[in-house]
Every structure is written in structure tokens, then in C-alpha cells.
Amino acid sequence: MTATLIWILVVLVAVGLYLSWTAGRLDRLHARIDAARAALDAQLLRRASVAQELATSGVLDPAASMVLYEATHAARQAEEELREVAESELSQALRAVLADPPQVDALREAPGGEEAAHELAEAVRRVPMARRFHNDAVGAARRLREHRKVRWFRLAGHAPFPLAFEMDDEPPAALVDRAA
């Protein structure tokens, strides 16, 4: 009788430790998502800021400057639920404005244009990486949250279900090819 109680206690402690470890792992994944989202937000803000500086610098023609300025302003002011669309529109505007290599060459030849082009190339190169890190963390957390043990024992607590950040983040080819 005593041996049976000891074995039951050992099994309960082992199950408790396993559930505690799983809850801790899930908590670390949620913290990783928060950190990755902050990094993604910082990269998106940097890209929008650099693009807005370029739009207001007078280096581009007026029509291109207006298109780029409106897209950057919309991306910076977008509500959270519309942010993916606004950031995708900024990517499309960047590709439209910097579509052809002669336009990028003209940008680089302008006073201060080489630095602006390099800074913009770096900003548009980092956005896909930050988005990939965020979406990888979201995927790992979602896979863990789908396990029965997490659902049955409510190990996720009240944390919202993580959502990936889906956007068009393809950089302008003429800008990135020259930066590499």
C-alpha cells in the first residue's frame, strides 16, 4: 500500500514537472515573439523613416516623391489591423519608384544620394529578416499550443493566440543589386 502511494506520488510529481517545463517553454516562446515583434516594428519604422527622408529630400522627381511620401505616411500612421496592408503598399511604392537602374543611379549621383541609397538598401534588406524571425517564433508557439496537453491544462494562460505578420516585403531589385 505504501509503495503504491509512493509510485503515484512520483508519477504525479513527474507529470507536474513536465507540465511546468512545458508552460515555461511556452512562456519563453511568447517572450521571443514579443522581442521579435519589437525588432520587426523597429525595422519597419526605420524603413519608413528612411523612405520618407528620401521622399522629402528633393532628389526624386515630384511624382515619385509624392507617391513615396504618401505610402510612408500611411505606413507610419496605420492602425494595427491595417499595418500589414500599409507596409505592403510601401514595399510596392518603393519598387515602383526605384524600379529602374537609371533612377537609382540618378539617386546615387545626387548630393547625399549615395548615403541615402545605402541606408535605404540596408533598411529594406533587414525587414524580410526581421519578419522571418517573428514568423518563425509565431510558428513554434502555434505548434506547441496545438498540443492536447497545452489545451487541456490551459498552459497558455490568457495569452492571445500568436499571429504571423504577412506582408509584401520584396525589396526594389535595382536598389538591392547595387548595394550588394
Side-chain angles (χ1 to χ4, degrees), residues 28-41:
R28 288 188 301 274
L29 282 172
H30 281 274
R32 190 171 129 207
I33 289 171
D34 291 342
R37 181 59 189 242
L40 175 60
D41 287 342

Side-chain angles (χ1 to χ4, degrees), residues 72-108:
T72 57
H73 182 71
R76 292 179 83 174
Q77 301 298 323
E79 301 277 332
E80 189 60 36
E81 58 271 358
L82 300 175
R83 182 113 188 256
E84 294 172 354
V85 174
E87 294 293 347
S88 293
E89 289 173 355
L90 176 55
S91 295
Q92 294 166 1
L94 283 168
R95 281 197 309 273
V97 168
L98 302 171
D100 53 336
Q103 177 75 10
V104 176
D105 291 338
L107 169 66
R108 290 183 189 279

Side-chain angles (χ1 to χ4, degrees), residues 3-88:
T4 306
L5 288 176
I6 291 174
W7 279 110
I8 290 174
L9 185 62
V10 167
V11 168
L12 287 177
V13 167
V15 168
L17 287 173
Y18 178 70
L19 291 175
S20 175
W21 175 80
T22 303
R25 181 172 165 224
L26 190 57
D27 187 49
R28 288 188 301 274
L29 282 172
H30 281 274
R32 190 171 129 207
I33 289 171
D34 291 342
R37 181 59 189 242
L40 175 60
D41 287 342
Q43 292 305 324
L44 291 171
L45 182 62
R46 181 172 182 253
R47 180 182 75 155
S49 297
V50 171
Q52 193 168 30
E53 285 178 22
L54 179 63
T56 59
S57 68
V59 174
L60 301 173
D61 62 89
S65 293
M66 210 49 195
V67 166
L68 193 56
Y69 182 80
E70 287 177 2
T72 57
H73 182 71
R76 292 179 83 174
Q77 301 298 323
E79 301 277 332
E80 189 60 36
E81 58 271 358
L82 300 175
R83 182 113 188 256
E84 294 172 354
V85 174
E87 294 293 347
S88 293

Side-chain angles (χ1 to χ4, degrees), residues 126-160:
R126 289 180 179 161
V127 167
M129 287 188 295
R131 188 175 74 85
R132 194 171 312 120
F133 287 138
H134 175 267
N135 289 349
D136 287 347
V138 166
R142 289 176 111 174
R143 283 188 298 278
L144 184 59
R145 286 182 71 151
E146 289 172 355
H147 290 183
R148 272 187 233 132
K149 66 180 176 265
V150 174
R151 289 191 318 254
W152 288 350
F153 292 103
R154 301 176 193 255
L155 299 180
H158 297 289

